[in-house]
Amino acid sequence: MAEGAALRAVRGCLAAFPRDARELGWMESVPYLDRPPSPLEFYREWDRFVMPEERQMPFMDFLDIVEKKVTSPNVFYVQKQCSNLTEEFPELVCDVQSDIPWMSEALGKKPDAVNFWLGESAAVTSLHKDHYENLYCVISGEKHFLLHPPSDRPFIPYELYQPATYHVSEDGSYEIVDEKTADKVPWIPLDPLNPDLERYPEYAQAKPLQCTVKAGEMLYLPSLWFHHVQQSHGCIAVNYWYDMEYDLKYSYYQLLDCLTKAVKVL
């Protein structure tokens, strides 16, 4: 019995090898493209985790781009986190609450960060999770969320990506440069709006939820929930991040995550 089980395990590893090779970026044929890939497509198809290019500019110049008074080939989004509302936009602080009183009372703490978001409809946030209790408030426009509870972790794939950054050349073109000394980044390669079920068949068992948060509405997004976010053009939002408790819920997720990884190794 033991010998038979071992043989089946070896056969399983051999059968899985071609699929694993494809996931590592080895292709069965050379792709031909009739147009240059967008930065997002490049990131998804060529095994790089490319951080967005960051730049400083007058806020009025940014608004001119969002309002289409000025054309630009790039996608602009005020989305820098770490409490960018209080740290980078102090003029706007008086227009919103510094915290959400009922949440602060319920959790017994103030938010770790208050973030400001404004950008174009082409700015899409890929599927991910955060270690924060998140209260997401839409001020203008709409946000479209696709959500997965932590219990869907076994059906959500992760892969390791080489970290890279955008470098802007003198002619305005972009070059993607690897950060060779940095560790690889685990990230979710799947697009939940158009999942590749041939490559990630387990995702068919996941149960996504979808909701739209409109102006004047607030979404409570619990910590460790996976979320993919789209927005209407020029949507304005503020969110409050409260640090999560590393309690039984966190331990449960960690156990589920470890079991998922162990099953994939087998």
Side-chain angles (χ1 to χ4, degrees):
M1 291 291 291
E3 182 177 347
L7 182 58
R8 287 196 297 273
V10 170
R11 286 175 176 166
C13 290
L14 292 174
F17 179 77
R19 179 172 179 272
D20 292 341
R22 287 196 296 273
E23 289 181 357
L24 288 171
W26 301 352
M27 301 180 180
E28 296 178 342
S29 61
V30 177
Y32 284 85
L33 306 179
D34 57 7
R35 59 175 177 79
S38 70
L40 183 60
E41 289 170 332
F42 188 93
Y43 148 66
R44 285 178 174 163
E45 300 298 332
W46 305 103
D47 292 331
R48 293 294 183 275
F49 182 85
V50 186
M51 293 296 296
E53 185 246 338
E54 294 184 2
R55 66 177 68 174
Q56 291 186 338
M57 62 186 346
F59 196 60
M60 290 303 300
D61 291 350
F62 170 78
L63 291 178
D64 285 344
I65 294 172
V66 172
E67 294 172 356
K68 303 297 186 184
K69 296 177 182 177
V70 176
T71 59
S72 172
N74 303 310
V75 177
F76 285 81
Y77 194 21
V78 177
Q79 59 92 50
K80 190 175 181 182
Q81 299 160 37
C82 301
S83 210
N84 70 333
L85 178 67
T86 57
E87 298 299 319
E88 299 186 4
F89 299 100
E91 299 86 355
L92 302 178
V93 170
C94 61
D95 292 332
V96 298
Q97 293 176 284
S98 60
D99 71 325
I100 303 299
W102 61 265
M103 178 58 98
S104 297
E105 182 178 353
L107 298 180
K109 66 182 77 172
K110 296 290 186 179
D112 279 12
V114 184
N115 302 308
F116 176 76
W117 310 80
L118 169 60
E120 303 179 77
S121 58
V124 178
T125 304
S126 61
L127 190 64
H128 70 290
K129 68 181 188 320
D130 297 310
H131 288 70
Y132 289 100
E133 305 294 338
N134 188 351
L135 286 177
Y136 207 102
C137 309
V138 175
I139 297 172
S140 176
E142 298 180 347
K143 288 275 185 174
H144 309 288
F145 288 83
L146 183 147
L147 308 169
H148 282 284
S151 55
D152 272 355
R153 170 63 184 95
F155 316 124
I156 295 176
Y158 273 87
E159 293 181 4
L160 293 175
Y161 290 91
Q162 172 65 48
T165 56
Y166 286 113
H167 285 209
V168 184
S169 304
E170 292 184 359
D171 63 359
S173 63
Y174 286 92
E175 178 186 6
I176 295 178
V177 179
D178 289 345
E179 295 185 355
K180 296 182 179 179
T181 60
D183 294 334
K184 289 193 173 183
V185 177
W187 202 255
I188 299 169
L190 176 137
D191 178 359
L193 301 181
N194 186 28
D196 184 348
L197 296 181
E198 182 177 350
R199 189 173 184 182
Y200 307 110
E202 297 87 357
Y203 185 72
Q205 303 178 63
K207 303 296 182 184
L209 305 173
Q210 297 192 46
C211 70
T212 295
V213 185
K214 300 180 180 180
E217 297 180 340
M218 175 191 300
L219 171 68
Y220 166 49
L221 180 58
S223 57
L224 302 179
W225 274 62
F226 298 91
H227 48 290
H228 174 280
V229 191
Q230 297 175 289
Q231 62 186 353
S232 61
H233 192 81
C235 178
I236 301 173
V238 172
N239 83 305
Y240 298 80
W241 269 350
Y242 291 80
D243 195 16
M244 69 173 289
E245 295 292 334
Y246 292 85
D247 52 12
L248 183 62
K249 180 176 70 172
Y250 176 74
S251 299
Y252 164 76
Y253 177 81
Q254 289 295 98
L255 174 62
L256 195 60
D257 186 56
C258 291
L259 291 175
T260 301
K261 293 175 181 175
V263 168
K264 290 186 180 299
V265 170
L266 294 176

